[in-house]
Amino acid sequence: MNVEPHYQNIDLKFADTEIPSGKTGWRSPSNIALVKYWGKKPVQIPQNPSISFTLSNSYSETEVSYSPASSGKPEMEFYFDGQRNPAFEEKTAKFFQSLSAIFPFVNQLRFVIRSKNTFPHSAGIASSASGMSVLAMVLCDMERQFFGTLQNDEDFRRKASYMARLGSGSASRSVYGGVVIWGETKNEPGTSDFYGFPVNDRIHEIFSDYQDTILLVDAGEKKVSSRVGHGLMNSNPYAGERFKQAHENLSELLQAMRDGDTTTFIRITESEALTLHAMMMTSQPYFLLMKPNTLQIIQRIFAFREKTGLPVSFTLDAGPNVHMLYPAAIKVEVKQFIEDELVSFLSPLGFIDDEVGKGPEKIL
Ligand code: DP6
């Protein structure tokens, strides 16, 4: 893998007689993008910057035991929800091996990973964001513990975000709490294509505890993988304009979030969600990921907003479920709205109440 020289460090290796055994654990959340990352260049470089809310209740919790390996490459057992999972095992072992230039010590260890998510797998919530960011926290934590590097929290998070990005682009944003940008953004020093950058300092307080109720319309699996989806943008005839628009949307949205301007926030986040789906609908092959009930809910949100004047809006992931976004101050009204008008459009999984969260946490 192509690695920035800054993150290559051949010294991060144990002496043969000093390979440790032990255990560590982290919890890391998913996030919901407001300006979407959809389209990338090698290796894991976004075609446009994205911005997200880190979530609070939707997270992965992962315990990692390590001991000396004998094969000269990362050895792995992966248990997901208590069951050994050969697919995750192979994927994670390969991923760790690809990180050899960044964390040479992974080749010296055997890992037993036990992971679970607080949200149902079939809910279509981006589990790669929480799953990859949690592994990044674990490896950076081990580096800090055994090699004395990454003592400074900023260095620690930045390297974790860098590594998380290599696993899944959106995971780079989950390493930080609150509002996070991934991708170089005009007039925002510190933003980078290589890692996420939190921008909470100047965000208006209304967005600091924004709510995200995830309305689960369809409990089925996602129909298009991120890998395929991003790839489709390489030949989408509208891609160039879309990438340009995302830059403009991000700048305008960020300003609105600094001003506490919910009207602009609603206009841009909803347009971003519909544009993401429009990109999928105009790709070859094309994908239509909204379901009839996705549209029913969106129409109800429009009507509710019109009737009450309350700042309730929606965004979508690459799937049929609707993320309903609103300020904490109107929780009661929105709960009633869900009960009165939306529950009949939901799958048996119902909905997940989430909100802006603080980012990863060490649990072991
Ligand atoms: C629609 O981060 O899952 O959720 O880098 O290939 O792992 P990979 O893609 P991934 O793509 C996320 C796409 C999105 C928008 C977003 O989160 O920005």
Side-chain angles (χ1 to χ4, degrees):
M1 190 178 283
N2 218 348
V3 172
E4 288 303 284
H6 177 66
Y7 286 109
Q8 294 182 24
N9 187 349
I10 50 166
D11 296 333
L12 301 177
K13 214 172 161 206
F14 299 112
D16 284 344
T17 51
E18 287 171 17
I19 303 173
S21 293
K23 199 173 180 183
T24 179
W26 280 77
R27 164 187 293 177
S28 187
S30 187
N31 67 76
I32 179 69
L34 304 169
V35 170
K36 310 289 182 181
Y37 148 55
W38 198 243
K40 61 177 161 182
K41 305 177 260 199
V43 175
Q44 291 289 100
I45 298 299
Q47 289 279 14
N48 61 259
S50 54
I51 186 167
S52 56
F53 281 137
T54 292
L55 296 178
S56 175
N57 304 328
S58 306
Y59 56 83
S60 297
E61 197 166 87
T62 303
E63 286 182 18
V64 178
S65 304
Y66 47 88
S67 56
S70 49
S71 61
K73 53 182 198 195
E75 293 172 8
M76 186 139 326
E77 264 174 59
F78 199 118
Y79 296 84
F80 186 73
D81 279 341
Q83 300 270 342
R84 191 147 177 188
N85 189 313
F88 285 179
E89 196 160 292
E90 199 193 318
K91 202 172 147 200
T92 312
K94 262 204 196 132
F95 179 48
F96 276 24
Q97 206 173 351
S98 76
L99 297 172
S100 296
I102 311 177
F103 301 105
F105 63 88
V106 292
N107 287 324
Q108 299 176 290
L109 294 170
R110 168 179 175 72
F111 297 91
V112 179
I113 302 180
R114 291 175 195 281
S115 195
K116 58 181 186 221
N117 295 341
T118 54
F119 47 91
H121 180 61
S122 53
I125 295 175
S127 56
S128 63
S130 55
M132 285 298 168
S133 56
V134 84
L135 293 174
M137 300 313 283
V138 164
L139 288 185
C140 287
D141 194 14
M142 291 176 70
E143 177 184 327
R144 178 164 63 182
Q145 185 186 343
F146 292 114
F147 300 95
T149 45
L150 307 181
Q151 295 298 325
N152 165 314
D153 190 56
E154 209 173 303
D155 294 343
F156 181 95
R157 299 262 163 178
R158 186 160 289 179
K159 185 163 183 181
S161 181
Y162 180 94
M163 181 207 136
R165 177 200 111 231
L166 295 173
S168 177
S170 55
S172 65
R173 299 184 308 240
S174 278
V175 164
Y176 298 94
V179 182
V180 185
I181 292 178
W182 168 43
E184 204 175 322
T185 306
K186 211 170 120 206
N187 298 329
E188 294 304 324
T191 56
S192 166
D193 286 349
F194 296 112
Y195 40 77
F197 187 76
V199 287
N200 297 304
D201 288 359
R202 291 161 54 205
I203 295 292
H204 189 278
E205 61 178 8
I206 194 172
F207 294 110
S208 67
D209 58 355
Y210 228 63
Q211 305 293 299
D212 177 6
T213 299
I214 309 164
L215 301 160
L216 303 171
V217 167
D218 190 318
E221 299 273 334
K222 279 203 287 196
K223 295 288 183 312
V224 57
S225 72
S226 294
R227 191 176 49 79
V228 172
H230 290 291
L232 291 172
M233 287 302 271
N234 295 333
S235 56
N236 185 303
Y238 307 107
E241 279 306 308
R242 157 60 196 158
F243 300 143
K244 233 167 55 197
Q245 173 203 48
H247 282 268
E248 288 155 15
N249 278 350
L250 202 158
S251 295
E252 208 183 336
L253 179 68
L254 188 56
Q255 191 55 51
M257 292 178 81
R258 287 174 172 154
D259 294 344
D261 171 0
T262 52
T263 307
T264 305
F265 175 88
I266 290 170
R267 179 170 56 75
I268 294 177
T269 49
E270 291 189 345
S271 169
E272 275 288 319
L274 296 177
T275 301
L276 170 69
H277 282 254
M279 288 298 111
M280 287 185 269
M281 285 152 78
T282 53
S283 290
Q284 290 296 345
Y286 43 81
F287 290 90
L288 180 53
L289 299 185
M290 288 191 244
K291 298 282 183 198
N293 283 348
T294 310
L295 290 176
Q296 291 281 13
I297 291 173
I298 291 175
Q299 302 284 14
R300 295 299 188 287
I301 291 175
F302 287 161
F304 180 74
R305 195 162 70 221
E306 176 86 32
K307 188 175 75 189
T308 62
L310 294 173
V312 180
S313 59
F314 72 87
T315 188
L316 305 165
D317 240 333
N321 300 324
V322 180
H323 289 247
M324 193 158 62
L325 305 173
Y326 51 96
I330 59 167
K331 261 194 219 177
V332 174
E333 292 88 337
V334 173
K335 189 116 229 172
Q336 194 63 49
F337 168 49
I338 295 172
E339 271 165 32
D340 292 348
E341 296 194 47
L342 303 183
V343 280
S344 62
F345 301 121
L346 302 181
S347 77
L349 288 175
F351 58 87
I352 298 172
D353 263 327
D354 215 332
E355 61 185 338
V356 174
K358 293 189 172 49
E361 232 178 282
K362 189 167 161 67
I363 52 167
L364 265 184

